[in-house]
């Protein structure tokens, strides 16, 4: 009876716990308490039937009825506790105490209702134990319910297990309490009062309790059903509200395609009302051919299970009531119901999206047209800008070879450098435009990576030496020398990276490290420059990005160098990355996948391509300055030149004489160069003449221009402004002159390599001053920079002093334009760490090179007496101080004393102060006379202090 009542009570607790309404919850707890309390009460009196005394026992009706109250109270506490989702330990203990006390109170109240001749007494120990057992078992029975929640088992199993434990707890308390009872006396007559029969009372109460428990359970079941029904109605209302307010159309059909439901959005979309569509086939909303094939599709799906739309979405065409076609996105889901499946279609109108896509396509087409227009504009502007620049650069180079005053040479050098800078800017913009458009094609030829890297070091060493920076090439020993790839593009990338490293480094060094990284070649460019912040580093490869807003003013440049480098590296399937710390320098890492190569069959020697044989050349160009410049340059090289002003005249002159080569401008009035070349080729074919090589001359450098020239029958391509070495190389290529057919290199070509007059004159202003400085360097070298004797033993050499001497030679030689001497000195300086016999051979090569410098100077009509005089006439510091005072005074009045400025510049260069000389020069060039004057004052103070200390 106790297990049955407890199980039914726990069921009502479950109902109460899941009730959403407060009233239902309290009703469930109250009815459950009646069932459980009645069960406890009934169990007590049934249990008393098992108790046999040797005398007659009856019960007091009033006290018996009163004893049910504690049982009801204990049940209320228990069910209130069990209806909660979770309880704390304190709440569990409190509930157990109250429930145990209630059960105990009911038990001993029921015992007090006994009427018999014996006297009832209780053993104190067992009495206390019965109360303890009631509390402990009640607490355990409450806790078990919460513990069983965390165990995976069926709900009915959990319910029976919990009810059994609680029922046994009630019985355990009863029989422990009965063990405490002591009956004293003998058989006697019954006491007076209203008495009831024990057997009758137990049976009646059992039936009553079972009936009440069943009724309570039924009542709670009805409440649960009502609550579930209410929840279903609310859920249905919510779903209907969602469906009716959905923006997308929702249509439900059965397995035959008959429409079962249709929301308002679908009504608006298709123009039909729900009443007009319900009960009809869904194909009425489809155009042909979908309308005819829809039913067959449904049958095929139900037969085979193969779905084309169900479970996925696709774009289709729907049919409006008025016959208009509507682009929609359709997604269909399947609902499996007993009997027949239902299909729910979600329909979205995508008319606006289609219109937007059409608009975007139109915008994209316009953007492509704009990009094409931009490319055309750049090509045209390139031609227009390069044409006058060709004259500026070419004629300034010619003038720099003539006799000029110091002021004229300085100003003309500035013009020439500015024109070259403008040309570099234009080339950068065109390069990045071509790369973005995919107009750059890569070569795949054999080349020497080590030679490419060494060429970069050689070409940029002078810039590094001007800032007193160490420019080091570290080519790992295990890296092969020859690869297949595009050496010019690799050289362009590294020139950008190394050039930037030198530009943004004020002191320290720049290092190029080349090593094998797995199956790739890794190239790193390290510097100790200004560095970058993380935010600046994130934008370093963006177009026109600089390390900070003032960079362009401090260092110049467009910020396109790293962008072009990234684009070229990605075009070569490589990677490029950068790391930097503000104020601590940067490192750029490049990885390239280069296939192994072989030594090229022919490589231009270090002195460049030799002179071409005398040629009869026809020039066609409508710009007089271009014609004049090319004529001067070609005639100076020993060629015969004939000039034409347009394409028509060029055709007439071509067939009037025999020419070895035609330099044809592409853009000319009347008949352009392309059309003129086509006509020449047609006439040559008609006359059976051998084709004369034609080289296109154009300021447009786009790939399309090169292809157009080839299509017209031109053999070569040369861009403006003219780069004479490149033009000469292109002529040699077009004429197919074999390496052995080149005329031997004369003294002038060799001298240009041994002594780089053009680079040196940028510092010394005139060739005469540069020669005087070289004489002084050669005369003082043994005293200032002593080197080991040719036959010296390795162990007798002071290698620290030798490294210092070679470092000084390298720095001075770079300032003097002696590039070969500077390169050899740098190699020897690195070799002082591990000297060998090969080191002494290189030292001998350095001595030979120095002798060659002396020989070339003598051939320039510089006598040894002049050299001796230059070397033996040291500059008096007092004289320099006087020049500084005069120059500073003139600068304060906004004027420049050219003679004293040149004198101070030469003195600074000779004394290794190229950096200070360049800072003063840059300040004066930018008209910052105040800053230049401050530098001069500091130099004067330093010289005066040295004079005082020497006295």
């Amino acid at each position: 009876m106790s297990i049955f009542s407890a199980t039914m009570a726990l069921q009502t607790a479950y109902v109460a716990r899941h009730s959403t309404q407060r009233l239902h919850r309290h009703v469930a707890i109250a009815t459950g308490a009646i069932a459980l309390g009645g069960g406890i009460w009934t169990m007590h009196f049934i249990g008393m039937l098992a108790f046999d005394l040797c005398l007659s026992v009856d019960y007091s009706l009033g006290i018996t009825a009163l004893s049910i109250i504690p049982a009801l109270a204990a049940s209320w506490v228990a069910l209130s506790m069990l209806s909660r989702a979770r309880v704390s330990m304190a709440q569990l203990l409190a509930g157990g105490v109250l429930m145990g006390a209630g059960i105990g109170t009911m038990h001993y109240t029921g015992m007090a209702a006994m009427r018999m001749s014996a006297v009832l007494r209780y053993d104190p120990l067992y009495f206390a134990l019965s109360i303890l057992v009631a509390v402990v078992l009640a607490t355990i029975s409450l806790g078990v319910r919460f513990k069983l929640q965390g165990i995976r088992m069926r709900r009915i199993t959990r319910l029976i297990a919990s009810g059994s434990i609680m029922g046994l707890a009630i019985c355990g308390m009863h029989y422990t309490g009965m063990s405490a009872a002591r009956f004293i006396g003998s058989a006697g007559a019954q006491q007076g009062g209203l008495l009831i029969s024990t057997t009758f009372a137990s049976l009646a109460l059992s039936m009553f309790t079972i009936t009440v428990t069943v009724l309570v359970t039924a009542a709670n079941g009805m409440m649960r059903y009502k609550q579930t029904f209410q929840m279903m109605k609310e859920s249905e209302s919510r779903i209907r509200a969602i469906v009716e307010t959905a923006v997308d159309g929702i249509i439900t059909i059965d397995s035959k395609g008959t429409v079962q439901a249709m929301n308002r959005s679908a009504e608006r979309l298709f123009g039909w009302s729900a009443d007009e569509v319900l009960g009809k086939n869904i194909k009425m909303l489809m155009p042909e051919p979908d309308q005819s094939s829809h039913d067959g599709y449904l049958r095929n799906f139900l037969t085979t299970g193969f779905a084309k739309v169900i479970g996925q979405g696709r774009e289709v065409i729907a049919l409006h009531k008025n016959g208009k076609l509507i682009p929609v996105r359709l997604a269909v889901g399947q609902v499996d119901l007993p009997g027949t499946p239902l299909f729910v279609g979600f329909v979205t109108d995508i008319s606006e999206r289609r219109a937007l896509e059409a608009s975007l396509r139109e915008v994209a087409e316009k953007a492509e047209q704009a990009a094409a227009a931009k490319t055309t504009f750049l090509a045209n502007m390139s031609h227009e800008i390069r044409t006058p620049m060709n004259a500026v650069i070419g004629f300034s180079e010619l003038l720099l070879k003539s006799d000029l005053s110091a002021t004229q040479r300085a100003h003309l050098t500035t013009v020439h450098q500015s024109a070259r800078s403008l040309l570099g800017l234009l080339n950068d913009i065109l390069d990045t435009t071509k790369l973005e458009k995919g107009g750059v094609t890569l070569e795949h030829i054999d080349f020497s990576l080590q030679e490419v890297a060494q060429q970069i070091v050689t070409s940029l060493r002078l810039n590094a030496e001007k800032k007193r920076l160490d420019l080091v090439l570290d080519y790992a020993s295990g890296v092969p020398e020859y690869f297949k790839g595009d050496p010019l593009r690799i050289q362009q990338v590294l020139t950008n990276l190394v050039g930037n490293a030198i530009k943004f480094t004020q002191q320290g060094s720049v290092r190029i490290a080349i090593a094998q990284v797995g199956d790739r070649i890794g190239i790193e460019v390290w510097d100790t420059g200004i560095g970058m912040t993380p935010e600046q580093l994130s934008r370093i490869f963006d177009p026109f990005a600089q390390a900070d807003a003032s960079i362009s003013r401090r260092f110049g440049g467009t910020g396109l160098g790293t962008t072009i480098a990234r684009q070229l590296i990605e075009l070569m399937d490589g990677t490029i990355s950068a790391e930097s710390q503000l104020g601590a320098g940067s490192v750029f890492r490049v990885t390239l996948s280069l296939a192994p190569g072989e030594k090229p069959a022919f490589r231009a020697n270090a002195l460049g391509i030799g002179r071409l044989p005398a040629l009869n050349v026809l020039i066609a160009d409508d710009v007089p300055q271009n014609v004049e410049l090319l004529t001067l340059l070609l005639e100076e090289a020993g060629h015969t030149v004939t000039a034409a002003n347009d394409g028509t005249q060029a055709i007439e002159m071509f067939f009037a004489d025999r020419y070895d080569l035609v330099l044809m401008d592409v853009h000319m009035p009347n008949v352009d160069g392309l059309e003129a070349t086509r006509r020449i080729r047609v006439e040559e074919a008609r006359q059976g003449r051998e084709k004369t090589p034609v080289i296109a001359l154009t300021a447009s450098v786009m790939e399309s221009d090169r292809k157009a020239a080839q299509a017209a029958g031109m053999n070569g391509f040369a861009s403006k402004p003219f780069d004479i070495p490149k033009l000469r190389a292109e002529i040699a290529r077009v004429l197919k002159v074999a390496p052995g057919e080149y005329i031997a290199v004369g003294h002038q070509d060799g001298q240009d390599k041994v002594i780089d007059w053009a680079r040196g004159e940028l510092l010394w202003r005139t060739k005469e001053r540069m020669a005087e400085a070289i004489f002084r360097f050669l005369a003082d070298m043994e005293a200032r920079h002593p080197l080991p004797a040719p036959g010296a033993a390795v162990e007798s050499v002071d290698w620290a002093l030798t490294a210092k001497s070679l470092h000084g030679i390298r720095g001075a030689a770079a300032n003097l334009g002696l590039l070969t001497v500077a390169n050899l000195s740098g190699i020897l300086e690195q070799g002082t760490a591990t000297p060998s016999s090969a080191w002494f051979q290189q030292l001998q090569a350095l001595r030979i090179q120095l002798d060659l410098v002396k020989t070339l100077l003598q051939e320039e009509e510089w006598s040894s007496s002049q050299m001796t005089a230059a070397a033996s006439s040291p500059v008096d510091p007092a004289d320099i101080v006087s020049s500084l005072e005069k120059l500073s005074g003139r600068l304060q009045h906004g004027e420049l004393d050219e003679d004293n400025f040149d004198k101070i510049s030469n003195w600074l260069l000779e004394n290794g102060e190229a950096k200070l000389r360049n800072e003063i020069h840059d300040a004066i060039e930018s008209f910052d006379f105040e800053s230049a004057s401050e530098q001069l004052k500091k130099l004067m103070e330093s010289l005066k202090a040295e004079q005082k200390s020497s006295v």
Side-chain angles (χ1 to χ4, degrees):
M1 180 59 65
S2 61
I3 291 175
F4 174 74
S5 299
T7 303
M8 293 297 104
L10 287 175
Q11 173 61 23
T12 60
Y14 174 81
V15 173
R17 187 166 62 253
H18 291 85
S19 295
T20 58
Q21 297 183 8
R22 183 181 180 89
L23 177 61
H24 288 177
R25 182 173 180 273
H26 287 301
V27 169
I29 293 174
T31 54
I34 292 173
L36 181 58
I40 295 172
W41 188 53
T42 303
M43 176 269 154
H44 171 80
F45 287 102
I46 292 175
M48 292 306 295
L49 291 176
F51 185 70
D52 189 18
L53 281 177
C54 56
L55 50 81
S56 178
V57 179
D58 292 310
Y59 293 89
S60 171
L61 182 59
I63 298 175
T64 299
L66 183 64
S67 66
I68 198 173
I69 295 176
L72 294 174
S75 299
W76 177 271
V77 171
L79 294 183
S80 296
M81 189 74 65
L82 293 174
S83 65
R84 298 179 181 179
R86 58 180 56 86
V87 294
S88 64
M89 183 57 70
Q91 291 173 329
L92 184 63
L93 292 175
V97 170
L98 292 174
M99 183 177 176
I103 295 173
T105 302
M106 179 270 147
H107 174 79
Y108 288 108
T109 303
M111 293 292 289
M114 296 176 68
R115 293 294 180 262
M116 58 188 171
S117 59
V119 178
L120 178 59
R121 297 288 185 270
Y122 294 98
D123 182 277
L125 179 60
Y126 278 94
F127 176 83
L129 180 61
S130 68
I131 300 300
L132 179 61
V133 168
V135 171
V136 172
L137 292 180
T139 304
I140 292 174
S141 65
L142 292 176
V144 164
R145 177 265 175 191
F146 295 101
K147 290 296 182 181
L148 289 179
Q149 273 190 329
I151 300 175
R152 295 184 60 183
M153 63 172 60
R154 297 173 59 188
R155 192 176 70 82
I156 186 65
T157 305
R158 187 184 298 113
L159 178 65
I160 293 173
S162 300
S164 299
I165 294 172
M166 181 173 286
L168 293 175
I170 296 169
C171 293
M173 184 276 152
H174 172 80
Y175 288 106
T176 304
M178 290 301 297
S179 298
R182 298 292 182 267
F183 297 92
I184 303 170
S186 58
Q190 293 183 351
Q191 299 179 6
L194 182 59
L195 303 176
I196 59 175
S197 171
T198 304
T199 302
F200 173 78
S202 298
L203 292 175
L205 289 174
S206 297
M207 294 303 296
F208 171 76
T209 301
I210 293 173
T211 302
V212 169
T213 302
V214 172
L215 291 175
V216 166
T217 304
N220 279 281
M222 290 297 294
M223 284 195 301
R224 180 65 176 167
Y225 172 78
K226 181 179 180 182
Q227 182 179 349
T228 304
F229 181 75
Q230 186 66 29
M231 291 174 62
M232 288 180 60
K233 288 185 63 178
E234 293 176 358
S235 176
E236 182 182 356
S237 298
R238 284 195 298 269
I239 293 174
R240 184 174 297 278
I242 293 171
V243 170
E244 290 300 325
T245 58
V247 176
D248 293 340
I250 302 176
I251 304 175
T252 304
I253 64 173
D254 60 15
S255 59
K256 296 180 180 179
T258 304
V259 178
Q260 303 295 315
M262 182 177 185
N263 72 343
R264 294 176 184 173
S265 294
E267 291 179 339
R268 289 192 296 269
L269 178 62
F270 292 96
W272 298 91
S273 67
D275 294 335
E276 294 174 306
V277 176
L278 293 180
K280 297 181 181 179
N281 197 295
I282 188 68
K283 65 184 180 182
M284 66 181 293
L285 305 178
M286 303 174 187
E288 292 292 352
D290 295 331
Q291 189 176 93
S292 300
S293 61
H294 179 263
D295 291 343
Y297 166 73
L298 268 180
R299 285 193 298 271
N300 180 66
F301 170 72
L302 293 172
T303 303
T304 65
F306 178 73
K308 293 183 178 179
V309 179
I310 296 173
Q312 54 189 316
R314 68 175 184 176
E315 295 181 2
V316 297
I317 301 298
L319 180 64
H320 193 271
K321 183 178 181 180
N322 60 12
K324 183 178 68 173
L325 298 180
I326 311 168
V328 298
R329 178 172 178 80
L330 174 64
V332 180
Q334 181 181 358
V335 181
D336 291 322
L337 295 177
T340 180
L342 289 181
F343 301 96
V344 182
F346 298 86
V347 188
T348 305
D349 187 353
I350 58 173
S351 301
E352 293 184 0
R353 198 192 77 186
R354 287 284 181 88
L356 177 60
E357 289 175 352
S359 175
L360 290 176
R361 282 193 294 270
E362 183 180 354
V363 171
E365 291 175 0
K366 290 182 178 179
E368 291 177 358
Q369 293 173 359
K374 183 187 76 170
T375 302
T376 304
F377 170 77
L378 285 173
N380 293 335
M381 289 305 298
S382 169
H383 180 271
E384 296 301 325
I385 295 174
R386 285 170 179 268
T387 297
M389 283 180 62
N390 180 51
V392 173
I393 294 175
F395 283 106
S396 62
E397 285 181 349
L398 289 175
L399 285 173
L400 284 171
K401 294 180 180 180
S402 62
D403 293 331
L404 300 171
S405 67
T407 302
Q408 290 172 332
R409 185 171 296 278
H411 292 168
L412 190 58
T413 299
T414 300
V415 171
H416 185 72
Q417 289 176 332
S418 299
R420 284 290 181 186
S421 298
L422 182 58
L423 180 61
L425 169 61
L426 185 61
N427 288 337
D428 281 350
I429 294 174
L430 289 172
D431 278 345
T432 190
T433 301
K434 288 190 290 183
L435 286 165
E436 288 175 354
K437 192 181 177 183
V440 174
T441 56
L442 298 176
E443 287 187 314
H444 194 69
I445 61 175
D446 292 310
F447 72 99
S448 168
L449 180 61
Q450 187 172 11
E451 182 178 318
V452 169
Q454 190 59 55
Q455 288 175 355
I456 293 168
V457 172
T458 301
S459 63
L460 297 178
R461 185 179 295 282
L462 184 61
N463 294 338
E465 294 293 349
K466 286 180 182 179
K467 304 177 73 172
R468 294 188 176 182
L469 302 175
D470 291 328
L471 181 56
V472 181
L473 172 62
D474 182 8
Y475 197 95
S477 57
V479 180
E481 180 179 356
Y482 300 106
F483 296 93
K484 288 185 181 294
D486 193 329
L488 291 179
R489 294 302 181 184
I490 295 175
Q491 184 177 25
Q492 183 179 0
V493 170
L494 294 184
T495 300
N496 273 331
L497 297 180
V498 178
N500 280 344
I502 294 172
K503 180 166 64 173
F504 296 124
T505 303
Q506 300 303 310
Q507 58 183 2
S509 64
V510 174
R511 182 167 66 91
I512 309 169
I514 301 177
Q516 191 84 33
V517 181
D519 59 347
R520 288 177 163 246
I521 299 299
I523 305 174
E524 296 182 347
V525 178
W526 295 77
D527 66 65
T528 57
I530 61 175
M532 292 173 281
T533 64
E535 193 274 333
Q536 293 164 349
L537 186 63
S538 66
R539 298 184 292 107
I540 189 61
F541 295 111
D542 294 341
F544 305 103
Q546 293 278 17
D548 60 56
S550 63
I551 285 296
S552 59
R553 295 192 298 272
R554 293 170 57 199
F555 298 101
T558 63
L560 285 173
T562 52
T563 302
I564 294 172
R566 174 184 61 79
Q567 292 169 324
L568 287 174
I569 290 297
E570 291 176 352
L571 189 62
M572 291 185 281
D573 295 327
T575 63
I576 183 170
S577 60
E579 294 179 10
S580 184
Q581 185 176 352
L582 189 63
S586 306
V587 55
F588 285 81
R589 291 187 173 89
V590 173
T591 62
L592 292 172
S593 181
L594 299 175
E598 299 178 353
K599 184 177 181 179
F602 168 72
R603 291 184 297 150
N605 56 42
L607 300 181
I609 299 173
R611 290 194 185 95
L612 294 166
L615 301 171
N616 187 15
V617 182
L618 173 62
I619 300 174
D621 199 316
D622 63 316
V623 180
Q625 293 84 355
N626 290 343
V627 174
E628 183 181 358
L629 177 60
L630 277 175
T631 301
L632 288 172
L633 292 172
L634 292 173
E635 288 180 346
E636 187 180 71
H639 305 297
T640 302
V641 179
T642 303
N645 297 324
D646 57 34
T648 302
Q649 189 176 5
I651 295 171
E652 294 174 356
M653 290 183 174
F654 178 83
F655 290 106
D657 198 353
R658 289 280 183 173
Y659 296 96
D660 301 309
L661 177 71
V662 179
L663 301 179
M664 182 79 73
D665 183 29
V666 172
H667 300 281
M668 291 186 294
N670 299 325
V671 177
D672 62 23
L674 300 177
E675 180 61 27
T677 303
R678 293 189 193 97
R679 295 182 185 181
I680 288 173
R681 295 301 185 218
V682 170
E683 188 63 23
E684 284 176 334
R686 191 184 67 80
Q687 297 181 9
R689 290 176 54 173
E690 184 179 352
K691 290 184 178 181
T692 302
V694 178
I695 295 178
L697 302 179
T698 177
S700 300
V701 291
M702 307 302 287
E703 187 64 24
S704 57
D705 299 309
R706 189 180 297 273
K707 291 180 179 179
Q710 292 175 349
M714 294 182 172
N715 308 93
F717 194 89
S719 62
K720 303 175 185 179
F722 301 126
D723 188 319
I724 299 306
K726 289 183 179 180
L727 177 60
R728 186 170 60 177
E730 185 70 358
I731 292 173
R733 186 190 68 80
V734 168
L735 293 177
K736 299 179 181 179
V737 180
E741 295 178 318
Y742 280 86
I743 292 179
V745 176
H747 282 299
Q748 182 63 38
D749 285 336
Q751 180 178 335
D752 286 342
K753 186 63 181 178
V754 176
I755 305 176
D756 193 336
W757 293 105
R759 288 178 177 270
E761 285 184 82
L762 294 177
L763 291 173
W764 296 96
R765 302 290 180 170
T766 66
K767 188 175 181 179
E768 291 76 10
R769 290 173 183 158
M770 179 177 168
E772 290 176 5
I774 294 174
F775 279 139
R776 284 191 289 270
F777 165 72
L778 294 174
D780 295 343
M781 197 189 73
E782 290 299 330
R784 288 190 175 187
H785 311 295
L787 296 173
V794 174
E795 57 273 9
S796 65
V797 176
D798 185 347
W799 292 108
L801 177 62
T802 301
K804 183 178 179 181
S805 296
L806 288 168
H807 184 79
I809 293 173
R810 179 163 65 93
N815 285 337
L816 294 168
L818 309 179
L819 297 185
T820 306
V821 173
N823 290 336
L824 285 172
S825 302
I827 295 172
L828 286 166
E829 182 184 356
Q830 295 180 15
T832 55
T834 55
S836 62
S837 57
W839 187 91
F840 284 95
Q841 293 177 2
Q842 290 176 324
L843 178 62
Q844 183 61 24
L846 175 62
R847 295 183 184 277
I848 293 172
Q849 190 67 26
L850 289 169
D851 291 338
L852 178 58
V853 172
K854 187 183 300 183
T855 301
L856 291 174
L857 285 176
Q858 290 172 347
E859 290 181 0
E860 281 285 309
E861 300 180 354
W862 284 84
S863 64
S864 58
S865 60
Q866 287 175 306
M867 184 179 86
T868 304
S872 60
S873 55
V875 179
D876 186 359
D879 189 21
I880 294 298
V881 171
S882 175
S883 297
L884 286 170
E885 291 175 345
K886 293 177 182 178
L887 178 58
S888 179
R890 295 286 293 274
L891 288 176
Q892 290 177 3
H893 291 85
E895 301 174 355
L896 178 62
D897 187 341
E898 289 281 352
D899 293 335
N900 282 307
F901 175 67
D902 290 339
K903 185 175 182 179
I904 294 168
S905 294
N906 295 339
W907 181 82
L908 288 172
L909 290 170
E910 291 171 11
N911 285 271
E913 294 290 343
K915 180 180 179 182
L916 178 58
R917 179 264 179 199
N918 291 335
E919 289 177 354
I920 297 173
H921 176 268
D922 292 342
I924 292 175
E925 286 291 323
S926 59
F927 300 98
D928 188 0
F929 293 155
E930 183 178 354
S931 176
S933 182
E934 288 294 327
Q935 296 275 17
L936 295 173
K937 287 180 181 179
K938 291 179 181 179
L939 182 58
M940 280 191 292
E941 293 172 358
S942 175
L943 289 175
K944 289 178 180 178
E946 289 180 4
Q947 290 177 353
K948 289 181 180 179
S949 62
S950 62
V951 174

